[in-house]
């Protein structure tokens, strides 16, 4: 089908990733849509998505259908203005097509929503210090934004739901896009979310212990093809065969920045935590000894297969979230003690 978007290999690309600094004026913004809405976006014989591309100049597509999965990923790439215009048009189409509320173009006040997929690393850029940035975007656009607290299963993306009129959502998307491009480097290394049977069944359960269980045999990659589990012993590619190990050509290198004051919690006492993450993921992880820029953040370099890196990133972010929750709890306890 002409409406399908180019597939992302093994979820190793970041939604704000640029191949080089000169290309970081191009935004790729993904959203989670229902299978029904995806059909509206594509249109009969791909007409709607073709018209959208022609009207806005964006590249746009929807991920393939996976049997038994009721969500698909919409991907739109172009300039910030073109992407926001495309989302405005898409939301307008969805509102018009909604059977429960027969809407005509003369009903501009209709409220709806879109679920954007945003890298966990870039959420701070959108929310801003003390929530000032997200408040400014809401005040300026008239849209309401709700950011999920947890990452989606087997990914490092979170949902930001934007609610309002199509025009308000379009304005909010433009401001969000500007934020993402300003800090595009933080999005490098994002593990993209791919809806699949295992992720739908396990939504809301993201602990490192459940993640490190044997989930990969039922996982699907971005093109809907099941990932192969380990071959049985004695088969041509069994453990006794040298070809059973991943070839070096399949290795990927990914970098993420971690605030210096959080590095200790990831390393753990005598390196116990980072050793465990290396063991569970199978990736090699090295940590810069000094901050790489004025932000005071240190670079973590992860080298391994796409699946190993995906697991390593998930475990690293899980550890960060646990530490943040621990610090918030400690601060609350200290405040309570002072108030006594």
């Amino acid at each position: 089908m002409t409406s399908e978007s180019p597939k992302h290999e093994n979820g190793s690309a970041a939604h704000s990733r640029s191949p080089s600094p000169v290309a970081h004026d191009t935004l790729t913004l993904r959203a989670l849509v229902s299978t029904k809405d995806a059909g509206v976006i594509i249109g009969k014989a791909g007409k709607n998505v073709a018209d959208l591309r022609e009207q806005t100049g964006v590249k746009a597509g929807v991920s393939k259908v996976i049997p038994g999965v009721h969500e698909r990923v919409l991907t739109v790439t172009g300039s910030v203005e073109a992407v926001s215009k495309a989302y405005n048009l898409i939301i307008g189409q969805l509102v018009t097509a909604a059977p429960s509320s027969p809407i005509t173009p003369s009903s501009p006040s209709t409220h709806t929503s879109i679920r954007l997929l945003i890298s966990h690393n870039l959420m701070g850029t959108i929310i801003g210090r003390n929530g000032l940035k997200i408040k400014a975007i809401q005040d300026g656009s008239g849209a309401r934004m709700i950011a999920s607290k947890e990452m989606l299963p087997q990914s490092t993306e979170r949902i930001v739901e934007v609610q309002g009129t199509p025009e308000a959502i379009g304005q909010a998307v433009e401001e969000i896009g500007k934020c993402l491009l300003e800090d595009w480097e933080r999005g490098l290394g994002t593990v993209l979310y791919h809806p699949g049977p295992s992720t739908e069944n396990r939504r809301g359960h993201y602990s490192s212990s459940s993640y490190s269980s044997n989930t990969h045999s039922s996982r699907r990659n971005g093109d809907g093809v099941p990932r192969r589990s380990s071959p049985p012993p004695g088969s041509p590619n069994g453990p006794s065969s040298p070809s059973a190990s991943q070839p070096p050509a399949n290795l990927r290198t990914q970098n993420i920045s971690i605030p210096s004051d959080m590095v200790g919690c990831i390393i753990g006492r005598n390196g116990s935590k980072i050793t465990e993450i290396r063991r569970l993921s199978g990736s090699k992880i090295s940590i810069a000894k000094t901050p790489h820029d004025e932000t005071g953040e240190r670079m973590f370099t992860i080298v391994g297969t796409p699946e190993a890196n995906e697991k390593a990133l998930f475990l690293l972010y899980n550890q960060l979230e646990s530490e943040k929750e621990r610090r918030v709890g400690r601060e609350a306890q200290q405040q309570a003690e002072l108030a006594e």
Side-chain angles (χ1 to χ4, degrees):
M1 187 184 292
T2 57
S3 61
E4 306 297 352
S5 62
K7 61 191 178 197
H8 299 279
E9 291 186 1
N10 298 309
S12 60
H15 78 270
S16 61
R17 169 174 289 179
S18 302
S20 63
V22 295
H24 68 248
D25 57 346
T26 300
L27 173 71
T28 296
L29 193 59
R30 291 158 29 97
L32 205 55
V33 297
S34 68
T35 303
K36 183 180 177 184
D37 285 348
V40 174
I41 293 165
I42 293 166
K44 193 171 183 179
K47 184 181 185 304
N48 288 355
V49 77
D51 289 347
L52 181 77
R53 292 168 183 153
E54 189 176 337
Q55 289 176 45
T56 63
V58 299
K59 293 179 181 177
V62 181
S63 63
K64 292 181 179 179
V65 174
I66 298 175
V69 177
H70 306 296
E71 291 176 330
R72 296 168 72 180
V73 176
L74 165 67
T75 304
V76 182
T77 301
S79 68
V80 172
E81 293 78 11
V83 169
S84 65
K85 183 181 177 184
Y87 270 96
N88 189 337
L89 293 172
I90 287 166
I91 293 159
Q93 283 179 336
L94 296 177
V95 168
T96 304
S100 55
S101 51
I103 292 152
T104 63
S106 62
S107 307
S109 61
T110 303
H111 277 61
T112 185
S113 66
I114 191 83
R115 293 174 295 164
L116 301 178
L117 294 169
I118 304 293
S119 169
H120 172 77
N121 249 14
L122 286 159
M123 290 297 280
T125 303
I126 293 171
I127 294 170
R129 190 180 295 277
N130 298 322
L132 289 176
K133 188 67 183 178
I134 196 169
K135 184 178 185 301
I137 294 173
Q138 291 181 118
D139 291 347
S141 65
R144 185 171 181 236
M145 294 165 60
I146 303 169
S148 67
K149 293 182 179 179
E150 294 175 310
M151 290 178 282
L152 288 162
Q154 300 169 20
S155 79
T156 55
E157 288 189 305
R158 287 158 62 181
I159 287 177
V160 173
E161 185 171 347
V162 187
Q163 305 171 342
T165 64
E167 293 75 17
I169 293 173
Q171 286 180 40
V173 165
E174 184 168 351
E175 292 306 314
I176 291 167
K178 288 175 183 175
C179 292
L180 297 178
L181 286 186
E182 283 171 13
D183 243 353
W184 66 276
E185 288 176 309
R186 286 180 183 268
L188 297 175
T190 298
V191 179
L192 300 180
Y193 174 64
H194 295 296
S198 60
T199 57
E200 286 212 338
N201 293 338
R202 291 175 54 226
R203 182 162 301 142
H205 303 285
Y206 316 139
S207 70
S208 57
S209 57
S210 66
Y211 184 79
S212 61
S213 62
N214 185 23
T215 59
H216 285 296
S217 60
S218 64
R219 288 266 335 273
R220 291 175 181 266
N221 60 20
D223 56 9
V225 180
R227 290 192 172 116
R228 294 175 62 188
S229 55
S230 301
S235 68
N237 289 322
S240 59
S241 167
S243 62
S245 59
Q246 291 282 1
N250 198 31
L251 295 181
R252 302 282 190 274
T253 300
Q254 292 175 271
N255 295 305
I256 61 167
S257 296
I258 302 288
S260 290
D261 67 334
M262 301 291 273
V263 171
C265 79
I266 290 176
I267 295 173
R269 190 182 296 275
N270 298 321
S272 59
K273 291 269 179 25
I274 194 70
T275 299
E276 181 74 352
I277 291 172
R278 287 172 179 141
R279 184 183 69 78
L280 288 171
S281 67
S283 289
K284 293 181 179 179
I285 304 171
S286 58
I287 306 166
K289 292 182 178 178
T290 56
H292 58 85
D293 59 20
E294 68 279 357
T295 63
E297 297 189 341
R298 283 162 67 181
M299 190 69 76
F300 278 54
T301 301
I302 305 163
V303 181
T305 65
E307 284 191 350
N309 288 1
E310 181 177 339
K311 189 178 258 188
L313 284 162
F314 186 92
L315 294 170
L316 286 167
Y317 284 127
N318 236 25
Q319 188 62 28
L320 279 174
E321 288 300 307
S322 297
E323 176 63 14
K324 286 177 184 174
E325 288 175 13
R326 189 187 71 80
R327 291 185 183 187
V328 168
R330 188 177 63 189
E331 287 175 9
Q333 185 179 355
Q334 289 172 346
Q335 290 292 337
E337 288 172 355
L338 288 171
E340 287 178 357

